[in-house]
Amino acid sequence: MSIAPPPSDARSLRTSPVAPTTSSAVPTSPDVTVPHTVGTAVPTGTRGFEFDVAIVGLGYVGLPTALAYHHAGTSVIGLDVSQRRLETIRSRGADLLEDDRVRLESAFLADDFVLTDDPSMLARAAAVVVCVPTPVDEHLVPDLAILRGAAATVVEHAVPGQLLMLTSTTYVGCTEDLLVRPLTERGLLPGTDVFVAFSPERIDPGNASVSHEDVPRVLGAATPACAAVADEMLGRYARVHRVPSLAAAEMTKLLENTFRAVNIALANEFSDICRTMGIDVADVVDAAATKPYGFMAFMPGPGVGGHCIPCDPHYLLWQLQADRQAAPMITQAMTEIAARPGRVVDRTREVLSDAGRGLRGARVLVVGIAYKRDVADLRESPALEVLERLIAGGAEVGFADHRFDSVRLPDGTVLDDVVDEGAFGADVVLLHTRHSDADLSWITGDQLVIDTTYRAADLTSRILL
């Protein structure tokens, strides 16, 4: 069930950031009333709102974003269609940084932080911010179903005076397609009746070294008036960098993550080169990183996971097909990244062969299956493909990652977390993700360990991927 909103009194009422002039022809939702602050006349042309912002989607981006807004003194509605997700948040089970956990506890004590699954609540917020996933399907084609559904809901419940903003990574022109045109068809003109913007999310799960407030937000808008309203809203908790258009903001996010993808592919290639030459690639990367200009350190690994790098560049490649525009460097980088988990399995087979046995029947323990260090997140984790491929190769496979009780692989196989790693009797240990709290004391000095992190120099028996 959704939590009922706080009473509409002087403490909870908010007004929209700009006083738009609305056309009498523009319909308003029949079930929404215009609240007035007690004892204060609402200026002519201003629509009053009970909440400052509504966040649509409370996942790895939406929930921290909602907490950042609330921490900055903003009243917040958090909307998610998943009752399970809402219960996870309410039970304090959401995977959050410690600072965000503190913020969540504070929010639960306030009367201006509401969690709900009721989309009609959106009409009560001065701004509506969409933070939903934009994955790709098994053919690497963008799956826009979640974003289309969220945008349609936002348009359906939009009222004059609102700011409507997308943050989900998507193709160039998406905000125009999913917000600007449908709103116009409803009779809500962006820049006059409502305000439309795009500001790509910049959340790095598990990274406590940079706070939300220290990460600038790129902003593109449909009109100058839209930019002014969105700038004020984003500026409540972050610095804002404006770009001239919605398209420029949408492309900015694609560049950010494509840049990372290309450089990770290059780092992986250098790791193979260095192993052939008998050099530890980590030493090379660390040395190159001492240069104060012209170099940014990227470490190789077993593949890439999360939402951004495995998915986002494919939105650009997909869109370019319509214009017959080639992007060979990006295409090759994404091909190499996709092949990396297979390389991990091939390397496991090589190491076992050098030790005098084959992959079939070998006991392989994969340590750490999250897509990155210190997060309970399996989205696009290369470990899932690695586990599946090892099983297909005939190995007896287990995983050890106490952030997960069990895992379901793409083929439907379910594996349970190995509680006693030492008792598993692994012929080879595959170090996939090393969480900061991981206890590896059970690894013996003569045990075969394949280090896909390139950072486990303390394990004397390790073999680099």
Side-chain angles (χ1 to χ4, degrees):
M1 294 178 60
S2 61
I3 299 177
S8 300
D9 59 15
R11 292 173 300 139
S12 62
L13 296 181
R14 300 291 185 272
T15 32
S16 55
V18 167
T21 301
T22 59
S23 168
S24 59
V26 177
T28 59
S29 300
D31 58 343
V32 177
T33 59
V34 181
H36 287 240
T37 303
V38 176
T40 304
V42 177
T44 302
T46 299
R47 184 180 180 86
F49 291 96
E50 296 174 62
F51 292 87
D52 294 315
V53 62
I55 305 297
V56 180
L58 298 176
Y60 284 92
V61 172
L63 182 55
T65 300
L67 296 174
Y69 270 117
H70 189 262
H71 182 70
T74 301
S75 57
V76 175
I77 298 170
L79 173 70
D80 202 294
V81 296
S82 169
Q83 273 291 335
R84 182 177 179 181
R85 178 60 178 173
L86 293 176
E87 288 306 316
T88 297
I89 296 170
R90 290 177 182 133
S91 64
R92 281 68 168 173
D95 187 30
L96 292 169
L97 294 170
E98 186 57 34
D99 284 351
D100 281 336
R101 290 190 180 280
V102 173
R103 291 181 177 185
L104 183 60
E105 288 301 321
S106 176
F108 280 144
L109 297 175
D111 64 358
D112 60 354
F113 184 83
V114 173
L115 299 181
T116 184
D117 63 352
D118 180 4
S120 69
M121 289 281 289
L122 296 179
R124 303 185 182 188
V128 179
V129 180
V130 178
C131 304
V132 297
T134 46
V136 295
D137 65 18
E138 64 272 20
H139 302 294
L140 302 180
V141 175
D143 181 356
L144 290 161
I146 299 173
L147 181 59
R148 288 186 189 279
T153 297
V154 168
V155 171
E156 177 186 356
H157 295 281
V159 294
Q162 278 186 320
L163 165 66
L164 310 172
M165 183 164 64
L166 298 187
T167 69
S168 306
T169 306
T170 185
Y171 66 91
V172 176
C174 184
T175 312
E176 181 78 23
D177 291 344
L178 299 189
L179 288 186
V180 173
R181 290 175 188 164
L183 286 165
T184 302
E185 291 170 359
R186 258 203 66 193
L188 295 169
L189 183 64
T192 302
D193 304 310
V194 291
F195 306 93
V196 178
F198 181 87
S199 179
E201 57 88 2
R202 283 177 164 175
I203 299 288
D204 189 8
N207 184 359
S209 63
V210 182
S211 68
H212 304 297
E213 293 78 6
D214 292 334
V215 181
R217 293 296 300 268
V218 172
L219 169 64
T223 70
C226 294
V229 174
D231 196 322
E232 190 278 334
M233 178 57 66
L234 284 170
R236 296 187 184 195
Y237 82 93
R239 290 176 292 136
V240 178
H241 177 88
R242 286 201 204 181
V243 292
S245 64
L246 292 167
E250 291 161 341
M251 184 64 91
T252 296
K253 182 62 173 180
L254 294 174
L255 173 59
E256 289 176 8
N257 289 334
T258 302
F259 172 85
R260 293 164 64 198
V262 169
N263 279 280
I264 289 172
L266 178 62
N268 286 341
E269 189 167 299
F270 256 85
S271 72
D272 295 339
I273 294 170
C274 286
R275 184 167 62 81
T276 299
M277 296 183 174
I279 304 169
D280 188 333
V281 68
D283 293 337
V284 176
V285 173
D286 290 344
T290 63
K291 186 178 180 180
Y293 57 89
F295 182 83
M296 182 178 292
F298 286 84
M299 285 298 296
V304 294
H307 169 73
C308 295
I309 302 172
C311 300
D312 294 353
H314 289 295
Y315 275 72
L316 180 59
L317 293 174
W318 168 77
Q319 185 171 15
L320 292 177
Q321 292 178 13
D323 295 325
R324 305 295 191 270
Q325 171 69 53
M329 182 179 295
I330 301 171
T331 300
Q332 185 62 27
M334 297 309 295
T335 299
E336 293 298 323
I337 283 174
R340 194 65 174 175
R343 178 67 188 122
V344 172
V345 176
D346 290 343
R347 181 64 171 145
T348 304
R349 186 179 284 107
E350 291 171 3
V351 169
L352 285 167
S353 178
D354 290 344
R357 68 164 306 156
L359 179 62
R360 184 168 297 278
R363 295 183 66 80
V364 183
L365 182 61
V366 179
V367 176
I369 61 170
Y371 87 86
K372 67 182 295 189
R373 177 184 175 98
D374 294 340
V375 299
D377 192 348
L378 288 173
R379 291 176 302 165
E380 307 296 333
S381 174
L384 303 181
E385 183 178 345
V386 169
L387 288 166
E388 191 174 63
R389 283 174 173 262
L390 288 170
I391 293 171
E396 297 181 29
V397 180
F399 82 89
D401 190 327
H402 302 327
R403 284 168 168 77
F404 308 97
D405 294 328
S406 64
V407 62
R408 181 180 294 274
L409 303 182
D411 66 358
T413 301
V414 177
L415 298 176
D416 293 327
D417 177 40
V418 173
V419 177
D420 188 346
E421 298 94 335
F424 183 79
D427 295 303
V428 61
V429 174
L430 185 60
L431 185 57
H432 178 275
T433 306
R434 187 173 185 178
H435 299 299
S436 59
D437 59 357
D439 178 12
L440 302 183
S441 61
W442 53 271
I443 295 179
T444 62
D446 59 351
Q447 196 156 28
L448 292 176
V449 179
I450 300 175
D451 178 18
T452 75
T453 73
Y454 296 88
R455 289 299 193 187
D458 56 314
L459 301 178
T460 57
S461 60
R462 72 166 181 156
I463 301 167
L464 293 179
L465 172 60

